[in-house]
Amino acid sequence: MVGGIGKAETSRILVNGLGTGVEVEISSDFEAAAVVATEAGAYYLGSCHTGAGAALGVLVPLLGPDRCHAFGRSVPTADELNALLAAGKAAFGFPVDNTAAVVGVFVDVLSGSAEKS
């Protein structure tokens, strides 16, 4: 599930990178929280201007901080993202101007094309 101010671009990158085998849905924050809370393997990617606040403003109170991660201005490596996923993170926030870089890492990790070290 994707949301935030860059939701169209996030969706496009995911669909182009992951193909038709993965469902990508643009949603509201409330709808995304309900799906992520109840469906295994569901993730939320949200963007805002800073990547630290509004991208997860609804998700943090509904899912809890243990399930959410804001990247702020940083772009994760594949290893960092794998560690976050292994720790149970399912909702991620990032700044809209880092959409291509951050979502590209998700594509690499979720498609299995990221190198493991």
Side-chain angles (χ1 to χ4, degrees), residues 83-100:
L84 291 168
L85 294 171
K89 303 294 184 184
F92 300 89
F94 53 90
V96 68
D97 59 338
N98 280 357
T99 298

Side-chain angles (χ1 to χ4, degrees), residues 5-107:
I5 61 176
K7 60 188 168 231
E9 179 71 1
T10 299
S11 178
R12 185 191 64 75
I13 295 168
L14 288 168
V15 168
N16 288 343
L18 298 173
T20 58
V22 174
E23 183 179 334
V24 177
E25 183 178 333
I26 295 174
S27 72
S28 71
D29 293 353
F30 289 102
E31 180 184 19
V35 170
V36 171
T38 60
E39 293 183 20
Y43 300 106
Y44 175 79
L45 304 180
S47 56
C48 68
H49 287 290
T50 65
L56 296 174
V58 171
L59 284 285
V60 171
L62 295 176
L63 294 177
D66 292 343
R67 305 261 343 262
C68 301
H69 181 78
F71 290 111
R73 301 298 313 160
S74 67
V75 175
T77 66
D79 288 340
E80 290 167 339
L81 181 54
N82 276 314
L84 291 168
L85 294 171
K89 303 294 184 184
F92 300 89
F94 53 90
V96 68
D97 59 338
N98 280 357
T99 298
V102 172
V103 179
V105 176
F106 274 89
V107 167

